[in-house]
Amino acid sequence: MNALKYAAAALFLTASPVLADDLVALSNTATAITGDISFDDFEMVFSNGEKIEFDELVGDHFVVDGKDVPASVYSVKGPGNPVLLNGNRLCGTSPVTYLASWADDDVTMVAVFETQDVPSSNDEMCALYTYVYP
């Protein structure tokens, strides 16, 4: 019976919830359109409370300026394109279909796509936003 208790305790301790990263807008684009964000494996929440929800993780690497980097590539539920700060949207009027995120030193890069197919590089993005940890 003790073994069962220890196993249950170990499972409880390792199954902690995923916490969102709170990020501060760095680029002029991020400051003007999204503001600061909260980002995790399920959604990206913008400073005005709107959000983009992710359907699934579809890739774990991405080509940035010809170089393969570790990244998270998500398909977007919906797809959607909420109205953000100052009436702006992430990519003009078309629905956002994919979002890719990767680290570049201490900066978190978020590329947004309106493509039918899963993007493989930043060449296909419609917008790029950059953030830092507070």
Side-chain angles (χ1 to χ4, degrees), residues 23-47:
L23 301 170
V24 175
L26 177 64
S27 63
N28 290 336
T29 307
T31 301
I33 296 176
T34 67
D36 298 344
I37 63 168
S38 181
F39 189 100
D40 62 26
D41 287 337
F42 305 101
E43 64 188 6
M44 182 175 176
V45 180
F46 307 101
S47 65

Side-chain angles (χ1 to χ4, degrees), residues 38-108:
S38 181
F39 189 100
D40 62 26
D41 287 337
F42 305 101
E43 64 188 6
M44 182 175 176
V45 180
F46 307 101
S47 65
N48 69 349
E50 293 288 335
K51 63 184 171 182
I52 289 277
E53 293 183 77
F54 305 134
D55 189 34
E56 64 180 306
L57 181 66
V58 295
D60 60 2
H61 65 93
F62 191 70
V63 176
V64 177
D65 299 330
K67 183 179 175 187
D68 191 55
V69 299
S72 296
V73 182
Y74 300 96
S75 59
V76 173
K77 274 187 186 175
N81 197 0
V83 176
L84 301 174
L85 300 178
N86 305 308
N88 290 309
R89 296 180 184 268
L90 288 173
C91 277
T93 58
S94 296
V96 173
T97 53
Y98 296 95
L99 189 141
S101 175
W102 66 95
D104 187 1
D105 293 323
D106 294 330
V107 177
T108 298

